[in-house]
């Protein structure tokens, strides 16, 4: 069995492998080391730019290091099985979502600037406690966000694609959004990208929110109509804390960089030390399953 990983670090994190597993470090910066590979783990943030190197290579499984996979189907050569990295990034992304909400509410971004400038200036800020939080998405990240919000004494409402009760949580369907937005002081977006969620947060969505509502996006930049968001930010209607944007990377000079009430992190939701052991565990599980001729975990595309 031949497995490739993109870095020496991940290779080391896998530990000792069975004798019948050959592990190769291939960052996909050149031709494949073999014509047939049982499993390929592409590089983390640049996966989409290198998938074409799998053309003509036989593979058993392509194991992504990301949860999201929108657009991959158009880039992945035919004949490959592709799995996402569910279970790897949920914890870290949920931490950042709650961290962004706290930072924006308590104006930690402003205090960081004051620290750099040597200024001591007290400001009365908004709390996270007692706020009405609307959480969009009840997948792995959404559930992880809800678990971390449990200790913050918020009034939580969850929305997903369809209404249901799951894991003891009443979940509203997306068709109920118009009736829910008027009460939402904080909106946290954890939804995936794709046609069904494209620009879900548009002018009508933003207009329905109360004044000074906070939008936190750790899902995908495409969830938000950026022009509509900029227009509302310019009027001081809403605030935003964004780990993902559209376009991305956010270009120099874009209005979002300079508007008041905006906090931006550069798509780092999953980029923490929590990722390292979790991606190693997932790759080890996939190796074990392939060796046992079992169905791999997290398969989302079949070429």
């Amino acid at each position: 069995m031949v497995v490739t990983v993109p870095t020496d670090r991940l290779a080391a994190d896998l530990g000792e492998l069975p004798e019948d597993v050959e592990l190769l470090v291939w960052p996909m910066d050149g031709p494949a080391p073999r014509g047939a590979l049982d499993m390929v783990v592409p590089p983390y943030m640049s996966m989409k730019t290198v998938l074409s190197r799998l053309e003509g290579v036989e593979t058993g499984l392509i194991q992504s290091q990301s949860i999201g996979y929108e657009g991959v189907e158009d880039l992945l050569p035919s004949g490959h099985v592709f799995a996402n990295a569910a279970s790897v990034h949920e914890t870290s992304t949920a931490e950042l979502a709650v961290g962004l909400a706290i930072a924006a509410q308590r104006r930690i971004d402003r205090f960081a600037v004051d620290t750099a400038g040597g200024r001591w200036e007290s400001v009365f800020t908004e709390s996270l406690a007692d706020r009405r939080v609307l959480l969009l998405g009840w997948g792995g990240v959404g559930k992880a966000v809800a678990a971390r919000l449990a200790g913050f004494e918020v009034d939580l409402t969850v929305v997903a694609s369809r209404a249901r009760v799951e894991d003891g949580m009443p979940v509203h369907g997306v068709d109920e959004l118009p009736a829910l937005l008027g009460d939402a002081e904080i909106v946290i977006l954890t939804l995936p990208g794709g046609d069904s969620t494209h620009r879900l947060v548009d002018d009508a969505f933003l207009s329905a929110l109360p004044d000074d509502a906070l939008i936190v996006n750790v899902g995908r930049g495409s969830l938000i109509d950026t022009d509509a968001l900029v227009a509302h930010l310019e009027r001081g209607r809403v605030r935003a804390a964004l780990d993902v944007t559209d376009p991305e990377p956010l270009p120099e000079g874009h209005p979002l960089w300079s508007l008041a009430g905006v906090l931006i992190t550069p798509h780092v939701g999953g980029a923490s030390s929590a990722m390292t052991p979790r991606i190693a565990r997932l790759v080890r599980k996939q190796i074990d399953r392939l060796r046992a001729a079992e169905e791999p975990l997290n398969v989302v595309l079949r070429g």
Side-chain angles (χ1 to χ4, degrees):
M1 181 177 181
V2 183
V3 175
T4 73
V5 295
T7 64
D8 292 325
R9 170 69 183 272
L10 181 52
D13 288 341
L14 292 177
E16 187 174 351
L17 295 171
E19 291 183 359
D20 62 346
V21 177
E22 182 182 4
L23 184 65
L24 305 175
V25 175
W26 179 39
M28 301 184 73
D29 55 355
R34 305 284 172 81
L37 300 166
D38 293 281
M39 184 164 72
V40 174
V41 181
Y44 177 36
M45 294 301 289
S46 60
M47 175 186 68
K48 291 184 179 180
T49 65
V50 298
L51 287 177
S52 61
R53 295 198 181 278
L54 295 172
E55 187 73 54
V57 179
E58 294 183 15
T59 64
L61 179 69
I62 310 302
Q63 175 57 62
S64 172
Q65 297 190 70
S66 299
I67 298 176
Y69 57 93
E70 63 274 8
V72 170
E73 190 171 14
D74 297 331
L75 299 171
L76 190 68
S78 62
H80 297 281
V81 176
F82 182 91
N84 76 346
S87 79
V88 172
H89 299 292
E90 289 84 347
T91 293
S92 183
T93 304
E95 282 182 352
L96 185 63
V98 176
L100 285 172
I102 293 172
Q105 290 293 94
R106 300 305 303 267
R107 296 308 312 272
I108 294 174
D109 54 339
R110 169 179 171 157
F111 296 136
V113 173
D114 287 348
T115 299
R119 290 183 297 273
W120 183 283
E121 184 177 350
S122 178
V123 177
F124 188 88
T125 64
E126 295 293 327
S127 66
L128 180 56
D130 304 327
R131 300 285 70 80
R132 298 184 298 274
V133 178
L134 186 63
L135 174 61
L136 270 63
W138 195 238
V141 175
K143 291 176 181 178
V145 170
R148 282 150 184 80
L149 287 174
F152 285 94
E153 302 179 30
V154 303
D155 181 0
L156 181 64
T157 299
V158 176
V159 174
S161 57
R162 57 180 178 82
R164 59 192 185 273
V165 176
E166 185 175 332
D167 296 333
M169 174 65 72
V171 179
H172 296 266
V174 70
D175 57 309
E176 300 176 66
L177 264 179
L180 300 172
L181 291 173
D183 285 332
E185 296 172 290
I186 300 174
V187 178
I188 300 179
L189 305 171
T190 70
L191 295 164
D195 293 340
S196 64
T197 60
H198 185 69
R199 294 188 175 178
L200 176 66
V201 180
D202 56 9
D203 179 69
F205 184 111
L206 294 166
S207 296
L209 294 172
D211 288 345
D212 204 40
L214 171 66
I215 313 294
V216 179
N217 190 5
V218 294
R220 285 293 182 265
S222 60
L223 301 177
I224 298 179
D225 181 335
T226 301
D227 290 342
L229 178 62
V230 167
H232 282 258
L233 289 165
E234 287 176 336
R235 300 199 304 272
R237 269 270 302 129
V238 300
R239 295 170 295 129
L242 311 172
D243 184 51
V244 288
T245 60
D246 182 17
E248 189 175 300
L250 196 64
E252 183 180 354
H254 193 282
L256 285 175
W257 285 122
S258 56
L259 282 168
V262 179
L263 174 60
I264 294 172
T265 55
H267 200 154
V268 293
S272 81
S273 57
M275 174 185 174
T276 307
R278 285 166 172 78
I279 188 61
R281 283 198 296 267
L282 178 58
V283 172
R284 281 297 302 255
K285 286 179 182 177
Q286 298 290 47
I287 290 172
D288 291 342
R289 295 179 76 89
L290 290 173
R291 290 180 68 241
E294 295 176 354
E295 177 70 11
L297 302 169
N298 304 339
V299 171
V300 293
L301 295 172
R302 294 183 184 274

